[in-house]
Amino acid sequence: MSLLILDTDPGVDDALALLYLRARADLKLLAITTVFGNADVETTTRNALWLRARLALPAPVYRGAAGPLTRPRGASPTHVHGENGLGDLDLSGVALSPADPGAAHERIIELVRAHPGKVTIVAIGPLTNLALALRAAPDIANLVAGVTIMGGAFAAGNVTPFAEANIHNDPEAAAGVLAAPWPVTLVPLDATLSCVLTNADARELAQQGEAGRFAHDVTRGYAKAYEQLDGCVLHDVAALVSLTRPELFETRVAPVSVALSGERLGQTVWAESGPTISVRLRADGAALARHFRETVA
Ligand code: RIB
Ligand code: CA
C-alpha cells in the first residue's frame, strides 16, 4: 500500500485523478494539498473541498500557496477549466466543510516525517508547496518514498511554444524541486498528450454507474478546449498511472533543469549535471486511457 499526498490545483483533470485514486485500494490518500494554478487558490481549495465531499474521500484538505515564489501569479486558464475551475460544472447541492487547519507545505513536512520512507508526493499543479516544504525542511528529501510530478515539456509546451503550465506557473519552484536530492519522476506533456479520454469513451462511461457519470459530466466543458481531439487529455491521471502501471511508459533517466528567463521560461531541458530524474518520455496513451476507464467504471 502506497501512502500518497496529492498536491493539486483542481482543475478538471485533477478531479479525474481523484476519481482514479478513489478506485485504487492500493493507494492510500493521506492528504490533499492545494495550490493556485488552474484557478486562484481560494477556488482550487473550494474545488478540492467540493471533490472531497462529492467523491466521499476520507482525507484532509490543506490550503497551500496563493502564488509563485517570486513572480506575480498569471491569469487563470478559464478557457480550459472554466470560470469555476471545474469546467463550469454545477457545484450546488453539495455541503462543504472548511479546509483543515494548517498550511499545505507544513502538513507535507509533518506527514513525510511521520511516515519515513513511505510517502509519495504526487504533484499535479505548480510546485510552489513542494519548494516551500523543501526550503523549510530540507531533510524531507531523504525521507520521501518519491515525488511524482505532472509537468514539463521537452518537445513543445502548452502555455508557450516551450513550456508546460505547471512548470511555467512557478519556474523557480520547479527548478528547486528538480535540483533537490529526492527521487523524482517527471511525467511531461511528451507522454500525457497521447492519453486521451475520447468523447465517445466518456459517453460510454456515463452509462456505467455513478463514477462514470461524474467523469462524463465534469469533462464536458474541458473537452471543448480540446475540440481537435474529440475528447480531452488525462494529464494528471497519467502521473498516478505512472506509479501504478509504469510499464505503460518509456523512461529516460537524466538530470533536468528549468529555463528561468527569456522566451523559453519554464521549459524543461536535459542538463549536464544535477540529480537524475526519471522522465516518462512517452506513454501508451490508448492503454492508459483504457486502464483509467476500466478502473473508474
Ligand atoms: O499542463 C497540464 C497541467 O496543468 C495539468 O496539471 C492541468 O491540471 C494544469 O494544472
Ligand atoms: Ca493540475
Side-chain angles (χ1 to χ4, degrees):
M1 162 93 67
S2 301
L3 305 182
L4 298 193
I5 298 171
L6 191 73
D7 192 70
T8 175
D9 60 338
V12 175
D13 57 328
D14 305 71
L16 297 178
L18 281 165
L19 192 66
Y20 177 80
L21 253 179
R22 184 179 74 157
R24 295 287 309 203
D26 55 336
L27 303 178
K28 181 173 167 46
L29 185 59
L30 289 181
I32 300 168
T33 54
T34 66
V35 64
F36 75 95
N38 287 325
D40 59 62
V41 75
E42 287 75 26
T43 304
T44 58
T45 304
R46 187 275 315 271
N47 291 351
L49 293 166
W50 188 87
L51 289 162
R52 172 172 75 173
R54 173 70 179 74
L55 302 178
L57 297 164
V61 172
Y62 302 118
R63 178 185 159 126
L69 292 179
T70 60
R71 300 169 186 268
R73 183 175 80 82
S76 300
T78 52
H79 58 295
V80 181
H81 294 270
E83 292 294 333
N84 72 0
L86 284 178
D88 293 331
L89 188 71
D90 178 6
L91 304 184
S92 62
V94 174
L96 302 188
S97 43
D100 293 85
H105 73 281
E106 289 169 359
R107 295 299 186 221
I108 290 172
I109 294 167
E110 284 169 13
L111 286 167
V112 169
R113 285 179 174 162
H115 304 277
K118 299 265 188 279
V119 177
T120 299
I121 303 172
V122 180
I124 56 176
L127 298 174
T128 320
N129 292 334
L130 274 63
L132 291 171
L134 267 177
R135 230 184 229 183
D139 60 294
I140 64 169
N142 295 313
L143 296 176
V144 293
V147 177
T148 296
I149 296 164
M150 190 282 126
F154 292 84
N158 59 358
V159 285
T160 75
F162 306 102
E164 180 280 330
N166 289 341
I167 306 297
H168 190 263
N169 270 330
D170 194 347
E172 283 76 17
V177 167
L178 296 187
W182 52 8
V184 174
T185 300
L186 196 62
V187 187
L189 292 180
D190 308 69
T192 64
L193 283 173
S194 69
C195 307
V196 176
L197 177 71
T198 68
N199 289 327
D201 291 340
R203 282 193 295 274
E204 203 180 309
L205 263 180
Q207 306 306 317
Q208 296 174 358
E210 171 269 330
R213 160 68 49 195
F214 176 78
H216 171 272
D217 292 351
V218 77
T219 50
R220 290 313 81 206
Y222 180 59
K224 291 197 184 111
Y226 287 105
E227 219 159 18
Q228 74 285 6
L229 293 178
D230 196 19
C232 58
V233 180
L234 299 167
H235 297 291
D236 292 342
V237 171
L240 289 168
V241 177
S242 145
L243 286 172
T244 57
R245 298 285 305 275
E247 75 281 4
L248 295 182
F249 297 85
E250 278 176 41
T251 303
R252 174 172 170 185
V253 181
V256 173
S257 64
V258 177
L260 294 178
S261 63
E263 62 170 3
R264 290 178 185 262
L265 178 71
Q267 185 181 30
T268 45
V269 287
W270 303 112
E272 294 293 315
S273 60
T276 53
I277 310 285
S278 294
V279 181
R280 305 296 197 201
L281 258 191
R282 256 172 290 284
D284 182 342
L288 189 146
R290 189 166 57 247
H291 168 64
F292 169 75
R293 297 195 312 272
E294 288 169 357
T295 303
V296 302

